[in-house]
């Protein structure tokens, strides 16, 4: 084997050269993998952001629907309350009339008892 100055052989030079080339190829492969990983990470982040936006829009739509339902229910409750007030306003005179009618019926029953008892007293 031919020796170069200081005891270095051509075989050593070739071995060092091949090692350097292998290291360069390994480094380039590592860099390419890193770039590909970064691209995929960016793609996943974009998909995640898009998914988050879609969910946010869906939730906002659901909230809008819920708010509309609440407004509808509030209106219905208000209408029921108004209706209850009107019914109670109508029922108060009716209740008074019923009370008056019951009182008159009691008076009539009392009179009938008096008349009946007077007849029975006369007949006896």
């Amino acid at each position: 084997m031919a020796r170069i100055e200081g005891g270095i052989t051509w075989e050593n030079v070739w071995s060092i050269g091949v090692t350097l080339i292998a290291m360069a190829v390994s480094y380039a492969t590592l860099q390419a993998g890193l770039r590909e990983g970064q691209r995929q990470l960016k793609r996943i982040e974009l998909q995640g952001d898009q998914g988050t936006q879609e969910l946010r829009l869906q939730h906002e739509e659901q909230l809008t629907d819920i708010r509309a339902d609440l407004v509808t229910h509030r209106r219905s409750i208000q209408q029921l309350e108004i209706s209850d007030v009107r019914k109670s306003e109508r029922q108060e005179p009716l209740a008074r009339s019923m009370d008056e009618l019951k009182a008159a019926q009691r008076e009539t029953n009392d009179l009938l008892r008096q008349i009946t008892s007077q007849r029975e007293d006369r007949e006896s």
Side-chain angles (χ1 to χ4, degrees):
M1 201 38 73
R3 289 193 179 240
I4 307 175
E5 293 179 23
I8 298 175
T9 61
W10 280 110
E11 186 176 313
N12 290 344
V13 172
W14 280 107
S15 176
I16 291 170
V18 168
T19 302
L20 288 174
I21 291 172
M23 285 177 55
V25 169
S26 294
Y27 181 77
T29 303
L30 179 65
Q31 287 298 316
L34 180 63
R35 281 192 298 275
E36 180 62 25
Q38 288 172 339
R39 278 194 297 271
Q40 288 183 6
L41 181 63
K42 189 67 172 175
R43 183 178 48 83
I44 291 169
E45 286 175 351
L46 289 173
Q47 288 175 344
D49 290 344
Q50 183 180 2
T52 301
Q53 276 184 315
E54 289 173 1
L55 278 175
R56 186 177 295 127
L57 288 175
Q58 287 176 353
H59 289 156
E60 286 175 4
E61 289 173 4
Q62 290 172 348
L63 283 174
T64 301
D65 292 345
I66 290 169
R67 286 182 184 130
D69 289 345
L70 282 173
V71 168
T72 301
H73 291 312
R74 283 183 188 144
R75 286 184 186 150
S76 297
I77 289 170
Q78 287 173 348
Q79 289 174 350
L80 287 172
E81 288 172 346
I82 290 169
S83 176
D84 285 348
V85 168
R86 287 180 183 159
K87 281 182 185 176
S88 69
E89 288 173 355
R90 282 186 238 138
Q91 288 177 351
E92 285 177 19
L94 182 60
R96 271 186 262 140
S97 295
M98 290 289 286
D99 290 341
E100 291 171 4
L101 182 62
K102 287 178 184 176
Q105 190 175 13
R106 276 188 233 114
E107 288 177 21
T108 304
N109 286 339
D110 289 343
L111 286 174
L112 281 173
R113 279 190 210 111
Q114 285 177 359
I115 293 171
T116 306
S117 88
Q118 286 175 0
R119 276 190 191 165
E120 288 175 1
D121 286 343
R122 280 189 216 159
E123 291 176 3
S124 1

